[in-house]
Amino acid sequence: MKITQISVFLENKSGRLYDAVSLLGKKKINIRALTIAESEDYGILRLVVDKPALAAESLKKDGFVANITDIVAVEIADTPGGLAKVLGALSKDKIDVEYMYAFVEKQSGKALMVFRFENIDKAVRSLAKNKFVIVGKKEIQSL
Amino acid sequence: MNLFAKKEINFRDKDIETIGREELSDMQFASFMSTMRAALRTEFYKNRFAKIGITSREDIKSLDDLAKIPFTTKEDLREAYPSGLLAVGLEKVVRLHTSSGTTGSPTVIYHTQKDLDNWTELLMRGLTACGVTEKDVFQNMMTYGLFTGGLGLHYAAERLGALVIPAGSGNTRRQMQLMKDFRTTAVHVTPNYMLHIAGRIEELGFKLEELNLKKAFLGAEPFSENARKKIEKSFKIDVYNCYGLSEMNGPGVAMECVYKDGLHIWEDSYIVEIIDPATGKVLPDGQQGELVLTTLKREATPLLRYRTRDLATVFKGNCPCGRTHRRISRIMGRTDDMLIINGVNIFPSQIEEVLMKKPEVGTNYLIELNKRDELDRITIKVEIYAKLFHGSMKELEELRDQLKDELKSTMLVSADVEIHEPGSLPVYEGKAKRVIDNRSKE
């Protein structure tokens, strides 16, 4: 039920983000979702890709500081209030979201969001109980 | 590690190393008189002594008269360059070492064969005290040439019968390959270079289990206790501190023993004084000040009361190893690398001590000083340690806040902390340049 996210530590230096994504391009790795968290002098690039193991290995080999984390991808109805429904259910079960971001692709009528939870197993149980659709590794690869 | 555990104590020359203090003092006085005689043969000291009314060695009656003699400084060595401090005929000189003069004009120290032999002997004492024997494979990762770190240890380890690999500094991958292929047991290296390699062993394509490393001798620049611990942990080895300066031969002036608690300074070859760097007043044992050394055995370039600019204390009390030669502390800093930030005195070593405690930061760092709105700003740039990056912004921010807090409580000045990617800060294979002061430029 969990999917793999790659986090890359990037110092605030021009061209560094380009270096990272062009490396992935060269390795024919497709980016499905991404977000950047930033502070004054560095940022963390978070990515969901089709070949996470290869991506992490290539980045590390090229001198990037990269790490993999488990996240959860959830289908959300692409209608007003769709996201609120999911967050409402999680909040009721007292589950904190560390951060979240959206997928580039869209399945018809559905939006895809990824969530990072402090307690991932508890979050997955809550989502399943509330009948939300959790997207697995295979589906991400075939998107 | 249990500090009180019984350790194997090895001596190179037990009689000298455990000599009674009184006997040592007599020996020092005799050697001091020959040093005075040698000094009076040099143009530099002849002129200087004439000015203060010392014309023959008879004017010195005991070691207490030492205080009558003015200090010799680095500046004096520069002025006396190239031959003002030469006490023997050139036919007796077999080698010279010059210092590059990164901060000024060059200086030179000449050696007779006896000088070199004595230097080697002191280093052999130090190496033996830390358990080096003919069974060791000794990889010397210091620059060879005019810099004394290379040749000094080379000859000492070789004369002890160890297998010496004269690797020189730099080319990290080849260093690791040599270590692996020849089962190197001991290295001599600068702390910064060793820190650079520590934590990158796997990245360089090697495994710790493939190495046979047991000991590292670190010298040529000061390092903190936490830097020692970091290196000991990454390589699973014992790290020993080796002190020296080219003016006093080079490495081996003082060296730790197996107890790693202070460095024995070889008092049959040097007179040790600690002075207040501001007033020149001699301080009692236990107080920190500038280390002042007088050579007792050197024929070609005798130096009297030389101000090393290194800050240290002389320990009170005896070492459990049985050596009677007193111990000095690690070098706490140099009188000339003290930073003054908005009127507060700070030594880079204080900053290093804080950084090396944190496993999340790598072993390389840079201190940058800038002026902003008429105020000094200090920025500490560190590299993140790749294995401890978990992808969390919160963790990074906490790390930065902790570093800021700890630096503030050590230095009493607020610092900016920047976190960088590994390998982005400049790497030094010899002596590191950790401080960049942009204040005068702005």
Side-chain angles (χ1 to χ4, degrees):
Chain A
M1 293 312 240
K2 302 165 201 170
I3 59 170
T4 306
Q5 167 190 261
I6 311 213
S7 302
V8 190
F9 177 87
L10 294 175
E11 65 176 74
N12 199 351
K13 201 165 66 182
S14 72
R16 209 52 192 142
L17 177 59
Y18 166 79
D19 291 345
V21 295
S22 70
L23 173 71
L24 296 178
K26 252 185 257 158
K27 297 275 172 191
K28 306 240 178 311
I29 293 163
N30 209 340
I31 299 172
R32 299 299 188 205
L34 97 170
T35 183
I36 294 177
E38 59 166 46
S39 105
E40 252 170 80
D41 47 298
Y42 59 82
I44 299 175
L45 167 67
R46 305 188 202 283
L47 299 156
V48 177
V49 298
D50 54 351
K51 291 171 227 135
L54 177 67
E57 194 202 306
S58 312
L59 284 163
K60 281 185 191 168
K61 228 183 204 161
D62 225 48
F64 286 94
V65 175
N67 170 271
I68 50 172
T69 349
D70 286 335
I71 50 164
V72 181
V74 184
E75 264 185 26
I76 291 170
D78 193 9
T79 51
L83 177 61
K85 239 189 216 166
V86 178
L87 291 178
L90 289 167
S91 160
K92 228 170 99 191
D93 285 343
K94 297 200 167 36
I95 289 159
D96 291 331
V97 177
E98 255 185 66
Y99 54 82
M100 51 184 262
Y101 51 100
F103 259 65
V104 184
E105 291 94 348
K106 239 167 73 170
Q107 287 174 320
S108 53
K110 306 269 186 195
L112 209 48
M113 293 286 295
V114 288
F115 292 87
R116 165 78 183 166
F117 299 107
E118 293 224 344
N119 187 335
I120 194 162
D121 296 321
K122 205 172 139 198
V124 167
R125 279 198 299 276
S126 162
L127 288 165
K129 187 183 75 188
N130 290 291
K131 308 260 182 301
F132 290 109
V133 177
I134 298 174
V135 181
K137 271 182 191 160
K138 280 212 180 101
E139 290 143 283
I140 295 288
Q141 274 162 24
S142 60
L143 270 179
Chain B
M1 191 185 64
N2 180 3
L3 266 175
F4 301 100
K6 195 128 179 75
K7 291 179 189 290
E8 202 188 313
I9 312 291
N10 297 302
F11 291 100
R12 161 79 187 155
D13 186 344
K14 194 170 180 184
D15 291 347
I16 286 286
E17 290 174 57
T18 61
I19 187 173
R21 290 298 303 180
E22 216 164 294
E23 206 184 326
L24 179 62
S25 173
D26 290 346
M27 189 190 260
Q28 279 191 320
F29 182 65
S31 304
F32 179 64
M33 292 321 273
S34 11
T35 301
M36 279 298 288
R37 209 176 309 144
L40 280 162
R41 282 196 292 267
T42 69
E43 201 188 301
F44 173 83
Y45 281 118
K46 223 185 296 172
N47 292 339
R48 171 156 291 186
F49 289 162
K51 274 187 209 150
I52 55 162
I54 296 179
T55 48
S56 90
R57 62 188 186 90
E58 310 304 324
D59 293 320
I60 301 290
K61 305 242 166 3
S62 80
L63 279 180
D64 296 333
D65 290 332
L66 191 63
K68 285 186 192 166
I69 296 170
F71 295 116
T72 307
T73 62
K74 182 93 177 173
E75 206 39 59
D76 294 331
L77 261 59
R78 286 183 185 134
E79 272 169 37
Y81 182 86
S83 58
L85 276 160
L86 182 59
V88 296
L90 270 182
E91 72 284 356
K92 288 199 75 185
V93 176
V94 297
R95 198 199 295 167
L96 63 77
H97 281 278
T98 68
S99 91
S100 57
T102 36
T103 48
S105 34
T107 59
V108 60
I109 301 295
Y110 298 94
H111 298 275
T112 64
Q113 186 57 52
K114 222 171 130 194
D115 290 338
L116 290 182
D117 286 344
N118 189 55
W119 177 16
T120 304
E121 181 64 29
L122 297 187
L123 274 164
M124 287 164 81
R125 278 188 208 165
L127 290 174
T128 305
C130 299
V132 174
T133 69
E134 76 270 6
K135 291 192 185 118
D136 278 286
V137 178
F138 191 94
Q139 188 164 328
N140 194 14
M141 297 166 63
M142 291 279 191
T143 309
Y144 278 70
L146 289 170
F147 174 58
T148 53
L151 288 175
L153 263 289
H154 177 97
Y155 284 110
E158 199 173 271
R159 206 172 289 179
L160 268 182
L163 165 54
V164 178
I165 307 176
S169 77
N171 199 341
T172 310
R173 212 172 287 272
R174 191 182 62 188
Q175 298 280 5
M176 297 301 293
Q177 195 68 46
L178 288 167
M179 266 183 225
K180 180 185 162 191
D181 293 349
F182 299 102
R183 314 285 297 148
T184 298
T185 56
V187 291
H188 176 222
V189 59
T190 62
N192 283 301
Y193 192 26
M194 202 60 173
L195 281 168
H196 167 65
I197 303 174
R200 293 186 60 227
I201 302 171
E202 278 172 37
E203 196 186 313
L204 289 161
F206 297 87
K207 291 195 188 86
L208 195 56
E209 309 85 77
E210 296 174 326
L211 304 179
N212 192 29
L213 203 58
K214 306 272 192 284
K215 302 175 168 74
F217 294 89
L218 304 190
E221 54 193 5
F223 61 102
S224 61
E225 189 57 32
N226 284 328
R228 182 217 301 265
K229 285 190 186 130
K230 204 154 193 169
I231 295 170
E232 290 196 325
K233 226 171 115 193
S234 337
F235 286 93
K236 299 198 172 72
I237 56 172
D238 285 306
V239 166
Y240 300 102
N241 196 347
C242 174
Y243 171 71
L245 61 163
S246 61
E247 298 89 323
M248 290 290 132
N249 294 343
V253 172
M255 195 115 142
E256 282 181 338
C257 63
V258 281
Y259 286 95
K260 297 181 197 167
D261 183 23
L263 296 81
H264 293 278
I265 187 154
W266 304 117
E267 294 186 79
D268 58 327
S269 293
Y270 304 98
I271 294 176
V272 188
E273 296 172 277
I274 296 284
I275 63 160
D276 177 337
T279 63
K281 203 180 133 235
V282 177
L283 300 174
D285 285 3
Q287 280 192 33
Q288 183 177 310
E290 181 180 348
L291 192 59
V292 170
L293 297 172
T294 297
T295 64
L296 288 176
K297 294 220 171 137
R298 217 160 49 193
E299 299 177 325
T301 318
L303 289 179
L304 305 169
R305 304 192 85 202
Y306 181 71
R307 291 186 65 156
T308 64
R309 296 174 297 164
D310 288 323
L311 297 171
T313 54
V314 171
F315 285 8
K316 294 177 183 168
N318 302 323
C319 181
C321 77
R323 287 177 183 82
T324 49
H325 299 242
R326 283 178 299 169
R327 289 166 294 161
I328 57 167
S329 66
R330 65 177 55 252
I331 302 304
M332 317 303 277
R334 291 180 64 97
T335 54
D336 48 3
D337 67 16
M338 185 176 78
L339 310 170
I340 303 176
I341 315 277
N342 298 323
V344 180
N345 298 346
I346 295 164
F347 285 99
S349 55
Q350 293 174 283
I351 295 169
E352 180 181 295
E353 190 77 19
V354 171
L355 300 182
M356 293 303 146
K357 256 192 320 218
K358 288 262 171 277
E360 297 89 350
V361 300
T363 47
N364 206 1
Y365 66 95
L366 197 69
I367 300 166
E368 213 176 80
L369 304 172
N370 291 294
K371 247 203 169 37
R372 206 184 299 154
D373 304 329
E374 294 308 304
L375 279 177
D376 297 333
R377 297 293 311 176
I378 179 164
T379 305
I380 320 281
K381 298 184 173 184
V382 300
E383 290 180 353
I384 183 166
Y385 181 51
K387 280 189 191 156
L388 290 176
F389 170 69
H390 302 117
S392 157
M393 199 68 170
K394 208 167 85 191
E395 271 183 27
L396 290 175
E397 245 132 55
E398 276 170 13
L399 171 66
R400 174 154 53 186
D401 290 345
Q402 281 170 13
L403 284 173
K404 275 184 165 178
D405 285 352
E406 285 171 35
L407 286 166
K408 170 96 197 231
S409 68
T410 313
M411 311 191 298
L412 309 172
V413 168
S414 301
D416 292 328
V417 173
E418 280 182 18
I419 305 178
H420 290 261
E421 286 180 51
S424 60
L425 299 176
V427 171
Y428 298 92
E429 288 162 345
K431 293 195 189 195
K433 184 168 166 45
R434 296 285 194 204
V435 180
I436 294 182
D437 194 342
N438 298 318
R439 287 178 295 182
S440 48
K441 289 182 218 151
E442 285 163 21

